[in-house]
């Protein structure tokens, strides 16, 4: 690893983009602790936190924080970026597939223990209204992500590049982070930076988050 030896890394992303897998992989590779979705509002949970810059500021370095863009305002996200050494913005190019994955998750996987587990595709059981509702939400989330990228002059990384059959997208991300990339990060089940570990599975071995 070059550059920062004790680095605070922030992920800001839309949903169903492999952020949890990436956060956990980076945590293992860098040997940094991580916080996943610290500002997620959870019903019947005392652990929910309101978006707090003070909370982020007082996390000891090094640290990795995974934040869903919809869990806080654009202004909050922009202010939080200054508290980190590197910020990774992530979304998907195939927004219709993302909307389908989200619609399925909301309909069938509301149990928090199931949200991040593999599942068999049930697209035929989703209504067009359910898909369009999530598509509208994701379009707004992407507009907000673009606003953050433009305001803070940050690149946007794409799920389709990071979880691809080749390693170009991951190599670009690791170069951006100034972390040495090793090819076994993709092939090793410990890190799960490979398309075969995606959540959404189909017949004939086709899969997508």
């Amino acid at each position: 690893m070059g550059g920062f030896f004790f680095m605070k890394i922030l992920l800001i992303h839309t949903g169903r983009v492999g952020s949890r897998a990436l956060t956990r992989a980076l945590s293992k590779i860098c040997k940094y602790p991580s916080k996943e979705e610290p500002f997620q509002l959870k019903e019947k949970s005392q652990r929910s936190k309101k978006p707090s810059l003070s909370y982020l500021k007082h996390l000891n370095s090094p640290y990795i924080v995974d934040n869903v863009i919809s869990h806080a305002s654009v202004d909050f996200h922009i202010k939080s970026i200054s508290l980190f050494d590197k910020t990774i913005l992530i979304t998907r190019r195939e927004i219709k597939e993302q909307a389908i994955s989200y619609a399925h998750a909301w309909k069938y996987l509301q149990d928090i223990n199931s949200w991040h587990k593999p599942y068999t595709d049930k697209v035929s059981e989703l209504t067009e209204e359910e898909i369009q509702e999530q598509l509208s939400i994701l379009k707004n989330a992407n507009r907000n992500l673009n606003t953050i990228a433009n305001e803070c002059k940050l690149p946007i990384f794409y799920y389709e590049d990071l979880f691809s059959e080749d390693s170009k997208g991951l190599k670009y991300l690791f170069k951006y982070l100034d972390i040495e990339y090793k090819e076994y990060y993709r092939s090793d089940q410990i890190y799960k930076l490979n398309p075969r570990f995606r959540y959404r599975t189909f017949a004939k071995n086709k899969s997508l988050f």
Side-chain angles (χ1 to χ4, degrees), residues 27-61:
S27 180
K28 291 170 184 174
I29 291 165
C30 300
K31 296 180 173 57
Y32 293 172
S34 64
K35 290 286 185 183
E36 296 171 359
E37 303 180 18
F39 306 127
Q40 180 183 19
L41 293 177
K42 303 171 186 175
E43 292 185 8
K44 301 178 182 178
S45 172
Q46 301 300 316
R47 296 187 298 163
S48 298
K49 295 183 179 68
K50 292 183 179 180
S52 167
L53 291 173
S54 178
Y55 169 80
L56 295 177
K57 183 177 181 180
H58 289 95
L59 289 173
N60 292 326
S61 290

Side-chain angles (χ1 to χ4, degrees), residues 191-208:
Y191 304 105
K192 298 187 176 181
L193 296 176
N194 189 294
R196 74 175 184 270
F197 298 114
R198 294 166 176 171
Y199 296 153
R200 183 176 164 200
T201 60
F202 297 77
K204 299 181 182 180
N205 297 322
K206 182 180 178 183
S207 64
L208 284 171

Side-chain angles (χ1 to χ4, degrees), residues 90-158:
I90 316 174
T91 191
R92 286 172 72 152
R93 290 194 178 92
E94 297 294 334
I95 190 172
K96 181 68 177 291
E97 290 295 324
Q98 186 181 14
I100 290 171
S101 183
Y102 232 129
H104 181 281
W106 278 109
K107 189 168 186 176
Y108 298 107
L109 307 176
Q110 274 302 304
D111 179 350
I112 194 65
N113 293 321
S114 300
W115 190 270
H116 293 285
K117 290 184 179 179
Y119 64 90
T120 302
D121 179 65
K122 293 185 179 181
V123 172
S124 61
E125 299 177 28
L126 295 173
T127 67
E128 186 61 26
E129 182 179 2
E130 288 169 333
I131 295 171
Q132 289 300 320
E133 179 182 1
Q134 296 304 324
L135 192 60
S136 176
I137 291 170
L138 288 167
K139 285 180 178 178
N140 184 63
N142 276 323
R143 282 192 292 269
N144 290 340
L145 198 71
N146 283 318
T147 296
I148 294 168
N150 292 332
E151 180 75 18
C152 299
K153 296 180 172 56
L154 292 171
I156 294 177
F157 294 87
Y158 292 91

Side-chain angles (χ1 to χ4, degrees), residues 10-14 17 22 67 69 77 81 86-91 144-159 162 173 176:
L10 174 65
L11 283 75
I12 303 174
H13 55 87
T14 57
V17 296
L22 181 59
N67 252 347
I69 193 166
H77 286 305
I81 286 170
K86 290 287 185 178
T87 298
I88 307 169
L89 306 181
I90 316 174
T91 191
N144 290 340
L145 198 71
N146 283 318
T147 296
I148 294 168
N150 292 332
E151 180 75 18
C152 299
K153 296 180 172 56
L154 292 171
I156 294 177
F157 294 87
Y158 292 91
Y159 157 88
L162 298 176
L173 173 65
Y176 167 77

